[in-house]
Structure formats: structure tokens, C-alpha cells
Amino acid sequence: MLVSPKVIELKAPFKNTQQTQIVHLQNDADTPLAFKVKTTAPRIYCVRPNSGVLQPGATENIAIIFQGLTEEPQLGSKCKDKFLFVGVPCDGSIDPKHVSTSWNELTEGKTTSDTKVKVVFNYDSPMNTITEEKSVRDEPHPATTIEQAPRAVEAVEPIQRDVERNVERNVERPVERYVKKQVEEPAQPSAKAPVESVHNSVKKVQAVEPPSVATQVNTTGTNQLYMYAIVALIVAFILSRLV
């Protein structure tokens, strides 16, 4: 029995898609052959017809119908599905519809001819969404390429300098501004100041009376009282620690 092709090719995408492949069987023997088709994945494939009888020199077209997968396989993964076409000599008067039910009787004590057919995944299909999604996902971002990294740094440097200048201006403390102003502006009046302002300043200084003797005495007495009080507190603290 001749079987062609020896490889069944399924094209991507494979999820929820139905595909039909035709396999040709030919009886190259001088006697009738009963045949049967077996598969390792009966839930994924439908075979029509899956059994029958071939007269000498006759040819039969077998439709292998792929029902589709529930999930897309990983890109590059291999398909492990296989088909086995089995032929055995038989009486030409047997009904092809009864071959499947009487297969054990047909093969008992006889030599069978077996031909294996593999299934492969073809990821090169134009409709292959797996390849398209991977190519977009693996494409490097332009900003992360090595060649364009120096240009990105050069573009960021002017912005960074402007930010630093703005921060320096905004965080300057009020005290620093005041000291800077006092240093830049002299305390004494300039030579161009009016003479009247100088006389007025002298008059204000003369108008201030010095403190009286009584006030000075009171201030001295108050300071002495404060000192006595502080000494008394210190002595009381030391005594409390010693006890």
C-alpha cells in the first residue's frame, strides 16, 4: 500500500482553526486490501473515511480534518501527532462499512503493511499571529539602543542645568540674602548724601539722655539677686544628689 504524502503540514494559527489535509492511498498489490487509519490524537483530528477496502490498483483519498487547538503552541515547538495507515489482504467481497467492526478478524494470523505519517506545524504562514506578536514584543525600544544613548544624554544635560539653576535660586535662604545686601550696601552714608541728614543724626544722638545713677543701681541690684538665686538653686541641687 502506497501512502502520500508522508508528512501532514498544518499552517499557523492553530487555535480554534479547522484545516483539512488529503492523504492518498493506493493499492499496489494484486489482491484487495482492507485498510484502517489510526492516530495518536483522536480528539483533535477527524478522519474520513477511517477504514475501507481498496481493490488492486485502486486509490482512495483520505481527508484528515484538524479541529484546532484550545491554545496556541509556543513558537518553534514541534507537533508530536502521528497517523498510522494499516493495510491487510482481504476478500474483495467484504463490505467496506464492516471493516472497522471486523478488523481483529481480518488481521488475525496475517501480515499487515504499516505506514506512518507525521504532523508538523508551519509557523511561516502569512496569517501567523504568533510570529507577528513576538516580533513586536522583541523589537528593541529606540531609546534603549546603545547607538542612540549618547544623544539622549546630550539632550537631557541642558534641561538638567536649567533645573539646577532654578533650584539654587529658589532655595536661597532669606538670611543669606540679607547678609549679601548688607555687604553690598555700606552702613556709612556716602559722600553724596545731604549734609542735613548728618546734622539730624547728630541731634538725635545728643537727644538721648544717659541712664540715671538710680537706674544703674537698680539694674546692678537686680543682677545680683539673679546671681544669688542661681547659686542657691545649684547648691540645693547638689545637696539633693548627695542625700
Side-chain angles (χ1 to χ4, degrees):
M1 183 175 61
L2 301 177
V3 181
S4 64
K6 297 296 181 65
V7 176
I8 297 176
E9 183 180 284
L10 300 178
K11 297 180 179 180
F14 310 106
K15 180 180 178 181
N16 299 329
T17 58
Q18 188 178 90
Q19 303 180 37
T20 302
Q21 301 291 332
I22 303 299
V23 178
H24 306 282
L25 300 182
Q26 183 179 4
N27 183 4
D28 57 346
D30 297 334
T31 58
L33 289 177
F35 70 89
K36 188 175 183 179
V37 184
K38 301 179 181 181
T39 179
T40 58
R43 297 182 180 181
I44 301 177
Y45 301 92
C46 181
V47 182
R48 297 177 182 174
N50 61 353
S51 62
V53 176
L54 282 176
Q55 298 299 328
T59 301
E60 183 77 22
N61 294 330
I62 308 298
I64 306 295
I65 304 173
F66 174 67
Q67 303 293 327
L69 303 177
T70 56
E71 296 294 337
E72 290 287 358
Q74 294 183 357
L75 185 65
S77 61
K78 295 182 180 180
C79 181
K80 299 180 180 180
D81 302 338
K82 294 180 177 63
F83 287 88
L84 181 64
F85 294 81
V86 184
V88 61
C90 67
D91 186 0
S93 61
I94 186 175
D95 188 351
K97 296 181 182 180
H98 297 162
V99 171
S100 180
T101 57
S102 59
W103 182 255
N104 292 334
E105 299 176 0
L106 293 173
T107 58
E108 185 177 1
K110 297 180 181 179
T111 302
T112 60
S113 59
D114 302 340
T115 304
K116 295 181 180 180
V117 176
K118 299 188 302 180
V119 181
V120 296
F121 289 151
N122 181 6
Y123 296 93
D124 297 332
S125 172
M127 299 299 294
N128 185 7
T129 56
I130 304 175
T131 305
E132 293 175 358
E133 292 176 358
K134 182 175 180 58
S135 61
V136 173
R137 183 170 58 253
D138 294 344
E139 184 179 356
H141 195 276
T144 60
T145 58
I146 298 176
E147 296 179 355
Q148 296 184 0
R151 299 181 181 176
V153 173
E154 294 176 359
V156 171
E157 287 180 352
I159 300 176
Q160 183 178 0
R161 290 195 296 269
D162 294 340
V163 172
E164 292 176 354
R165 286 196 296 267
N166 293 332
V167 171
E168 291 177 357
R169 288 196 297 267
N170 294 330
V171 301
E172 186 179 4
R173 298 179 181 179
V175 177
E176 295 177 355
R177 291 198 299 268
Y178 176 77
V179 172
K180 183 178 180 181
K181 182 177 180 181
Q182 294 299 323
V183 172
E184 293 179 353
E185 298 180 1
Q188 297 180 357
S190 60
K192 296 181 180 181
V195 179
E196 290 79 2
S197 61
V198 177
H199 291 298
N200 294 332
S201 300
V202 173
K203 291 180 180 180
K204 291 181 181 180
V205 172
Q206 293 175 353
V208 177
E209 296 181 356
S212 62
V213 176
T215 304
Q216 293 180 358
V217 172
N218 292 334
T219 303
T220 303
T222 303
N223 293 337
Q224 290 179 354
L225 291 175
Y226 285 157
M227 291 178 63
Y228 293 154
I230 294 173
V231 172
L233 290 174
I234 294 174
V235 172
F237 176 75
I238 294 174
L239 292 176
S240 64
R241 302 293 293 179
L242 292 176
V243 175

